[in-house]
Amino acid sequence: MDWSKLHEDRVLVLDFGSQYTQLIARRIRESHVYCEIHPYNASLEWIREFRPKGIVLSGGPGSVYDPGNPVLNEEVYSLGIPILGICYGMQLMAWQLGGRVEKAAHREYGGAVVDVDEPLELFQEIEEKGVRVWMSHGDHILEPPPGFRRLARSDNSPVAAMGDPDRKFYAVQFHPEVAHTACGRTLLENFVFHVCSCRSTWTMKSFVESVVRSAREKVGDDHVVCALSGGVDSSVVAVLLHHAIGSRLHCVFINNGVLRKGEARRVQRVFRDHFRMNLVYVDASSLFLERLAGVTDPEKKRKVIGNLFIELFEKEAAKIPRARYLAQGTLYPDVIESVSFKGPSATIKTHHNVGGLPERMKLELVEPLRELFKDEVRQVGRELGLPERIVKRHPFPGPGLAIRIVGEVTPERLAIVREADAIVMEEMEASGTYDHVWQAFAVLLPVRSVGVMGDERTYEQVVALRVVESVDAMTADWARLPYALMARISNRVINEVQGVNRVVYDISSKPPGTIEWE
Ligand code: XMP
């Protein structure tokens, strides 16, 4: 199903490998214009068929003078579509269209100040003097190509922006997509609305309407199975499809024994009682714990849980007679990672998706969130009436609490980490801190240490508190929590969780650490 066809006014971002490419698409979508990222060498036929109203050439790590540098098919310049070049995208335009590009002796990186000479459409409603922008480039432009005018300059960039209003080609040396460029949003909106004449039709309401319509068309009278985990993505997929096909959606929720406190009950309450969905609940907690007995290696734990999950899910799905589709919560960043110029970079999600299942079970995939960024998924969830608690949920690994117990998973150790986790959640929420961090959780360490309680000497277990800030989980830093909050969590865990006499705070960043301990 080609969901993207549903949004007529759209912008194409061609990716030359910049770390900021995703941000360009996010910013444009925040202005309610649909936008997709594709590799820089997307074919001309494909671009024509995609019918973008504007094309953005992203930045990239290279220099136009590097041998083998990625270049744009020059015929793209003849399509009559407005183009905005950013950083490397600008140098490339200048180089390919006959301007003068100079290889810089050293890279300019960081904040810079730009003065606007001639606003044209691009700099409308932006100050003319002292515009603060973010630069990160090697080469720079000495002279714009024929037909272009210089629009702005900075101390280090004689041509910090250029434009050819007749062909509707514009380019900027700085990065309008990053937050440090204060006027960035206005500049991108000027391009999208004034230069490309896009209308803002991309809203989550319109997304829901169109996905519901096309899901109905695609699925027809068939039935769909969906593995529900209680996380944001699978929950949104479920309500979205339920909206579209009602009782022909069958959700399977497997209790793998390593869920959070109260989670199994909560999921059933929301999806079966509130939304009135077909929900198959399988309590396999004892089976999972049996198979986990004696396993200490983190990879092995993941495998045991993953394999048993697939085995059980397959069995349940086989009981749904007319199932032809499997619904999955694949998101846009996963899609970009697999198609982009950079090639697949480290993915964080593959391990928990039910990979391999669709072929084995002869099911076709339905992935209604393929076009969405995470914050858009949350908005869709809200639009469909999912409780805030689910919409705002932190990521939670598929192998659950099992990888938050270092060493063997036993019922006793599980009870400790589950109680400690519940206290961490309660305190993070009560203090209003939950929404400001990426993840917060407790880890049970395989260590005992000496303590005193009353007059007695104790020799008990240690819980590590892990709270991190991050934007995409690829890098993370430990959160500078208020001492009072740390103290409250520590006191409560030690007093309320039997078997724990010490709480430590993890102050490692990623890299070199990871978020989970495993
Ligand atoms: P690490 O520990 O590698 O984690 O820094 C990065 C992010 O991925 C989450 N994570 C998982 N998510 N299934 C998931 O759905 C998993 O098996 C899994 N392992 C780690 C982790 O919580 C963090 O947000």
Side-chain angles (χ1 to χ4, degrees):
M1 172 167 18
D2 191 356
W3 315 91
S4 64
K5 290 283 177 288
L6 301 160
H7 300 282
E8 282 305 322
D9 284 2
R10 53 191 115 120
V11 171
L12 170 63
V13 177
L14 290 176
D15 182 19
F16 288 89
S18 160
Q19 57 175 325
Y20 301 130
T21 304
Q22 274 201 36
L23 278 182
I24 304 174
R26 282 170 66 170
R27 292 291 99 83
I28 294 176
R29 287 195 190 185
E30 280 162 13
S31 303
H32 304 297
V33 172
Y34 186 68
C35 181
E36 280 189 20
I37 300 172
H38 288 269
Y40 71 94
N41 53 2
S43 76
L44 210 61
E45 299 74 63
W46 182 87
I47 296 177
R48 275 207 193 94
E49 202 185 312
F50 185 72
R51 283 189 290 116
K53 292 193 83 169
I55 296 176
V56 179
L57 311 180
S58 85
S63 156
V64 293
Y65 290 106
D66 290 342
N69 63 321
V71 292
L72 185 67
N73 178 345
E74 296 200 7
E75 290 179 62
V76 173
Y77 295 115
S78 316
L79 290 173
I81 301 172
I83 298 179
L84 173 67
I86 295 177
C87 195
Y88 178 81
M90 176 192 203
Q91 291 137 20
L92 194 64
M93 281 170 88
W95 190 63
Q96 291 185 308
L97 297 171
R100 271 177 61 212
V101 182
E102 184 183 56
K103 197 169 172 63
H106 48 83
R107 255 186 114 75
E108 182 182 10
Y109 181 82
V113 174
V114 160
D115 290 329
V116 179
D117 298 319
E118 202 183 351
L120 295 185
E121 283 168 306
L122 199 63
F123 286 90
Q124 276 179 49
E125 287 173 44
I126 293 173
E127 307 250 344
E128 302 211 340
K129 289 262 169 291
V131 182
R132 301 213 63 86
V133 300
W134 186 256
M135 295 276 195
S136 168
H137 63 104
D139 301 347
H140 61 218
I141 284 128
L142 290 178
E143 209 177 285
F148 279 80
R149 283 135 61 174
R150 173 171 87 180
L151 307 186
R153 71 201 125 87
S154 75
D155 284 349
N156 283 311
S157 301
V159 185
M162 60 183 194
D164 173 349
D166 293 338
R167 285 185 287 179
K168 295 184 187 288
F169 288 171
Y170 290 88
V172 288
Q173 182 66 90
F174 53 89
H175 288 275
E177 69 277 25
V178 307
H180 306 283
T181 301
C183 65
R185 175 180 299 277
T186 312
L187 189 142
L188 287 171
E189 289 190 346
N190 284 343
F191 176 70
V192 167
F193 295 126
H194 300 310
V195 179
C196 307
S197 310
C198 288
R199 293 160 300 172
S200 43
T201 50
W202 174 250
T203 61
M204 289 308 109
K205 195 166 182 312
S206 71
F207 170 82
V208 168
E209 282 165 11
S210 54
V211 167
V212 163
R213 215 178 317 126
S214 36
R216 276 187 196 137
E217 268 168 35
K218 171 169 176 157
V219 172
D221 292 331
D222 290 314
H223 289 231
V224 179
V225 256
C226 173
L228 191 63
S229 71
V232 185
D233 306 342
S234 71
S235 299
V236 172
V237 166
V239 283
L240 193 54
L241 288 176
H242 182 247
H243 217 66
I245 59 166
S247 60
R248 281 179 290 120
L249 174 73
H250 306 264
C251 293
V252 178
F253 173 53
I254 296 177
N255 184 343
N256 59 8
V258 285
L259 301 175
R260 288 192 149 140
K261 188 175 176 178
E263 184 72 358
R265 220 169 355 110
R266 205 157 37 235
V267 169
Q268 294 181 76
R269 214 169 46 223
V270 170
F271 295 93
R272 184 188 290 138
D273 304 344
H274 175 72
F275 283 106
R276 309 214 159 269
M277 293 187 192
N278 284 327
L279 178 68
V280 182
Y281 172 65
V282 184
D283 184 358
S285 37
S286 353
L287 188 55
F288 275 90
L289 291 186
E290 263 168 43
R291 300 246 180 124
L292 281 169
V295 181
T296 53
D297 175 61
E299 276 308 305
K300 188 124 188 264
K301 280 186 205 168
R302 285 177 178 283
K303 280 216 178 79
V304 166
I305 296 173
N307 291 343
L308 183 54
F309 177 85
I310 290 178
E311 194 185 301
L312 296 176
F313 182 76
E314 219 173 347
K315 205 164 102 194
E316 287 309 318
K319 295 183 196 157
I320 300 161
R322 293 167 60 201
R324 189 171 148 203
Y325 295 94
L326 176 69
Q328 262 189 1
T330 315
L331 302 195
Y332 196 44
D334 308 323
V335 177
I336 304 170
E337 267 172 13
S338 57
V339 300
S340 227
F341 158 59
K342 281 169 286 185
S345 54
T347 46
I348 51 170
K349 278 201 57 185
T350 42
H351 28 235
H352 90 135
N353 279 344
V354 271
L357 257 189
E359 300 88 66
R360 246 171 69 179
M361 295 168 60
K362 303 202 168 52
L363 292 175
E364 288 172 53
L365 275 183
V366 189
E367 299 175 302
L369 308 181
R370 271 181 80 83
E371 258 84 50
L372 300 191
F373 289 110
K374 190 82 177 191
D375 37 342
E376 294 177 316
V377 174
R378 293 189 209 277
Q379 285 175 45
V380 169
R382 288 198 177 98
E383 191 72 42
L384 293 166
L386 266 174
E388 219 29 38
R389 193 184 179 110
I390 293 183
V391 169
K392 290 194 315 204
R393 235 176 83 123
H394 290 164
F396 185 67
L401 299 175
I403 59 165
R404 293 182 177 169
I405 293 173
V406 181
E408 190 183 354
V409 179
T410 63
E412 298 73 33
R413 305 191 76 213
L414 195 53
I416 291 178
V417 86
R418 185 174 278 142
E419 283 307 314
D421 174 77
I423 293 171
V424 174
M425 288 299 101
E426 266 174 47
E427 292 299 332
M428 292 298 291
E429 275 171 18
S431 60
T433 320
Y434 185 89
D435 295 343
H436 301 288
V437 301
W438 176 263
Q439 268 174 304
F441 54 90
V443 182
L444 181 61
L445 307 189
V447 192
R448 281 176 189 267
S449 77
V450 172
V452 351
M453 268 192 193
D455 294 332
E456 263 177 64
R457 186 185 147 91
T458 59
Y459 187 59
E460 292 188 314
Q461 313 203 54
V462 183
V463 161
L465 174 62
R466 180 71 162 147
V467 186
V468 296
E469 291 175 0
S470 174
V471 283
D472 54 8
M474 306 297 277
T475 61
D477 198 8
W478 56 280
R480 273 55 169 178
L481 291 187
Y483 286 158
L485 175 59
M486 294 205 249
R488 224 166 23 247
I489 292 176
S490 162
N491 286 341
R492 281 197 60 194
V493 169
I494 293 170
N495 289 328
E496 296 174 32
V497 184
Q498 271 231 327
V500 177
N501 67 354
R502 195 179 293 272
V503 172
V504 296
Y505 191 50
D506 181 353
I507 52 169
S508 338
S509 62
K510 171 182 180 174
T514 50
I515 296 176
E516 306 286 349
W517 281 50
E518 314 225 355

